[in-house]
Structure formats: structure tokens, C-alpha cells
Amino acid sequence: MRAIVFAELGGPEVLSVAEVPKPELRPGMVLVKNHAVGVNFADTRFRQGTYAVKPRLPDTPGLEAAGTIEAVGEGVTNLRPGVRVAAFASKTYAEYCLAQAFMIIPLPDDVSFVDGAAFPIQVLTAYHLLHTAGSTGPGKSVLVHSAAGGVGLAAVQLAKIAGARVFGTVSSNAKAGLVKECGADAIINYTTDKFADEVLRLTDGRGVDLILDAVGKPTFEEGLRCLAPFGHLILYGRAGGSPDPLNVSTLSAKSQRVSGFMLPTVTRGLPDQTRESAERCFALMRDGRLRLHIGRTFPLAEAIEAHRYLESRQSTGKLVLLP
Ligand SMILES: NC(=O)c1ccc[n+]([C@@H]2O[C@H](COP(=O)([O-])OP(=O)(O)OC[C@H]3O[C@@H](n4cnc5c(N)ncnc54)[C@H](OP(=O)(O)O)[C@@H]3O)[C@@H](O)[C@H]2O)c1
């Protein structure tokens, strides 16, 4: 089968198309023929060797895909060939991927393969940041950093659906309109304005109840400055580098909380909650309340371009590869 491989760590140029053996089916596993493959920021880190999971060279990037089940391994009784699914897996930048049966989400007929591939990581990360790791609702406020990105646009919409007041940050005014369309109450350009000052102004000096931060170094300390009493900052990525170490005793003055989040804690540890949350999000998509913004699709062979585009900070929403 055709797959994207890299034999050395580095920039997008280390990726190339190669013929590799189709994954071998094993007990408890499901072989999926990929129709669409989700691109995540983590894939660019994996390619550089700076992600939590290290590549075993030569390796293939990719953590999710949507397609049809080609075959099921011994012991898999709840899934069968031909079913349309989304999968959390590894090495998904390819024509086929292998996933553990409990990491498969059946796709409703009204969800396209492209939306199916766009959905698992970014939408469920946004959902579980807001409702499992953190909480929000009417009368509460949420600050979503890099709000025009894949996780960001989903988080803005899901926080609005929950009834919160939502602020989003973006690095260019070109991205602001999209975040506004997704329902954000205020959008701040965090490359030209001090976002903490703006948040404090918008909240009459109180600050926000929840901050979703996957940028890290440039935003973490400033975030604590505009976090409300009893507020919660969740650090779930570090696109801009790791923040400086935190002296936790500084949190006491306003009874604030800082925590981390990794989606696999939910998908691997809480499979029932994963499915339940996926079904809730599918229902919201069906009602038109949650819209997945597919920023661009690329042929699988153009994975280099997809990574360049994502790392350039020009992309919005989800990037999808088509095998
Ligand atoms: N913990 C988890 O389980 C989990 C799961 C999914 C994603 N994540 C993290 O969430 C973040 C968003 O992921 P995503 O896949 O949805 O990507 P994305 O938001 O679509 O793209 C990354 C965005 O990060 C912002 N950014 C800030 N500083 C950057 C820098 N120095 N270089 C590049 N981009 C920078 C850019 O938005 P602006 O230009 O508007 O700032 C860029 O568009 C990533 O940090 C990712 O690692 C974590």
C-alpha cells in the first residue's frame, strides 16, 4: 500500500511517499481502509521527534482516520467488514490502518468520511477539556487560545453550546471572522494586543473561569494574570514552547488551579465515555449546532504541503489528507 514515511527527523521535507506492506491483522484489532486521514499538530511534533511518542525510524505519522472496515481480527465480535468508522490509531497517513477494536467509533450515515477523520482528536479533545478535565456552563467564561485552529474552533462552539461566554485568541485578523462565526463573544489578536489586559477589561477586572491553553510559553503566565478566583487553566499542548516552571504557591492568592490534559487518558482509559461523547457530538453536528470547519484537503501524497501549511500558522480548522 502507499504510505507517507520518514527515515530521519526534521522539517516537512523528510516526508515522502513509499510502498509499504499492508498492516497485518492481529487478534482484537481491526483493519480499516482509509478514505480520509486527519492531520493534527501532534503529527508535526512526531515528525520532529519532540512529541510524547517517539518515532521508530522509518515511521509513518498519523493518529486518526475514517474509512470502511476491511477485516476484523480474532475476538472482535461487535464490528464487521464494510462498516463505516472513524479510528484512533497510529501510522494513519496510509491507504490502510490498524486499530484496536475499542478505539473504533462507528460513523453515522450522515457523517462524511472527511468529517469522520476531522472529528476524533480535535472535537473530542475540545469536548473533554470542557466537560471532563474542566467544566463550564451558563454564567461561566472560557478563554480559548489559537481559537481558529482545529481544537480551537470546536472548543469555541462547544463552550457556546454549554452556555458560556467565550473569548478566543488568534494570531491574525484574517482568522478572526471565522472564530466570530463560530459564536465567540470577543476575539483578541494575541500577537498585537496583550490578551490578559483585554480579558480583564472585558470582564470588569475579574478574569475568566477556564482557559484552554495549547500554546504554552507565550500564553501561560499571561493567562494566570487574567484567570478569575477559583479559575482553572488547562495546559494541553505547547505549540509555542514549554512554559517556564510554575511556583504553585502563587496560585493560592486567588485559589486558582492549573492542570494538564492528554486525550488518550480518555480514549484509552474511558472508552464508554469516549463513545458517549462522540454520539453527543454527532447529534450536535446533525442539528447543525456543531460545524466542523475543514480548512483544506490535500491528496495523501501532498502531506509535506499539509505540514508546511499547518506549521505556517495560516491554517484554520481541520486539514485532511485523501488517500
Ligand atoms: N493534549 C491533547 O490530547 C491534545 C489533543 C489535540 C491537540 N492538542 C494540542 O492542541 C493544539 C492545537 O492542535 P490542532 O491539531 O488543533 O492544531 P491547530 O490549532 O489547527 O494548529 C496549531 C495552531 O497553534 C497556534 N500556534 C501558536 N503558536 C504557534 C507556533 N509557534 N507554531 C505553530 N502554531 C502555533 C496557531 O494558531 P494562531 O496562529 O492563531 O496562534 C496554529 O494555527 C496543539 O498544540 C496540539 O498539540 C493536544
Side-chain angles (χ1 to χ4, degrees):
M1 67 169 185
R2 273 180 334 130
I4 299 298
V5 295
F6 60 111
E8 57 177 320
L9 307 179
E13 67 284 352
V14 299
L15 303 175
S16 63
V17 185
E19 272 302 316
V20 303
K22 210 161 142 179
E24 232 170 78
L25 197 57
R26 297 198 299 271
M29 308 285 284
V30 171
L31 181 67
V32 177
K33 179 169 172 39
N34 299 339
H35 288 258
V37 175
V39 176
N40 289 286
F41 197 73
D43 304 341
T44 67
R45 294 289 191 200
F46 181 68
R47 189 204 69 222
Q48 293 167 56
T50 55
Y51 186 58
V53 179
K54 303 296 174 208
R56 279 197 256 167
L57 300 172
D59 211 330
T60 292
L63 297 167
E64 65 189 346
T68 46
I69 294 182
E70 182 87 353
V72 299
E74 201 187 305
V76 179
T77 52
N78 60 335
L79 295 164
R80 56 183 166 73
V83 172
R84 301 169 76 253
V85 295
F88 296 99
S90 57
K91 304 179 195 292
T92 58
Y93 285 22
E95 289 179 297
Y96 293 86
C97 72
L98 198 58
Q100 287 174 286
F102 76 95
M103 298 293 266
I104 292 280
I105 299 173
L107 281 183
D109 291 344
D110 54 0
V111 175
S112 68
F113 286 125
V114 168
D115 278 359
F119 168 85
I121 292 182
Q122 293 178 342
V123 175
L124 293 186
T125 293
Y127 182 93
H128 289 284
L129 283 168
L130 292 165
H131 297 297
T132 307
S135 65
T136 193
K140 298 287 184 187
S141 52
V142 183
L143 173 63
V144 179
H145 284 307
S146 50
V151 177
L153 286 177
V156 167
Q157 294 178 78
L158 290 170
K160 283 309 293 178
I161 289 167
R165 186 176 180 209
V166 181
F167 308 124
T169 58
V170 291
S171 67
S172 72
N173 294 339
K175 293 181 179 179
L178 188 57
V179 181
K180 185 88 193 151
E181 273 170 40
C182 285
D185 296 283
I187 298 121
I188 305 161
N189 183 331
Y190 58 178
T191 57
T192 55
D193 295 330
K194 273 204 172 298
F195 73 84
D197 288 346
E198 192 56 14
V199 166
L200 288 168
R201 188 185 68 77
L202 290 162
T203 57
D204 298 325
R206 183 179 172 272
V208 278
D209 299 301
L210 179 64
I211 300 182
L212 306 185
D213 185 352
V215 178
K217 189 161 176 83
T219 46
F220 182 76
E221 257 185 53
E222 273 285 285
L224 291 175
R225 196 160 70 77
C226 65
L227 190 62
F230 298 103
H232 182 186
L233 186 157
I234 309 179
L235 185 72
Y236 70 102
R238 48 190 172 91
S242 293
D244 293 332
L246 169 71
N247 177 355
V248 289
S249 57
T250 60
L251 301 174
S252 303
K254 288 208 268 173
S255 306
Q256 294 165 324
R257 199 150 50 104
V258 170
S259 67
F261 176 78
M262 275 298 270
L263 184 64
T265 329
V266 179
T267 53
R268 292 190 170 276
L270 307 169
D272 290 346
Q273 267 167 264
T274 304
R275 278 207 184 199
E276 209 176 287
S277 56
E279 276 156 27
R280 266 192 220 158
C281 292
F282 288 144
L284 291 170
M285 285 159 66
R286 201 170 297 125
D287 292 349
R289 298 178 71 198
L290 173 63
R291 290 172 202 271
L292 303 195
H293 174 78
I294 308 300
R296 262 175 85 177
T297 61
F298 297 82
L300 176 68
E302 290 177 21
I304 289 183
E305 289 314 313
H307 275 212
R308 281 200 180 120
Y309 188 51
L310 185 56
E311 289 175 290
S312 74
R313 297 180 76 164
Q314 290 172 62
S315 71
T316 53
K318 185 71 180 180
L319 304 183
V320 174
L321 300 174
L322 302 174

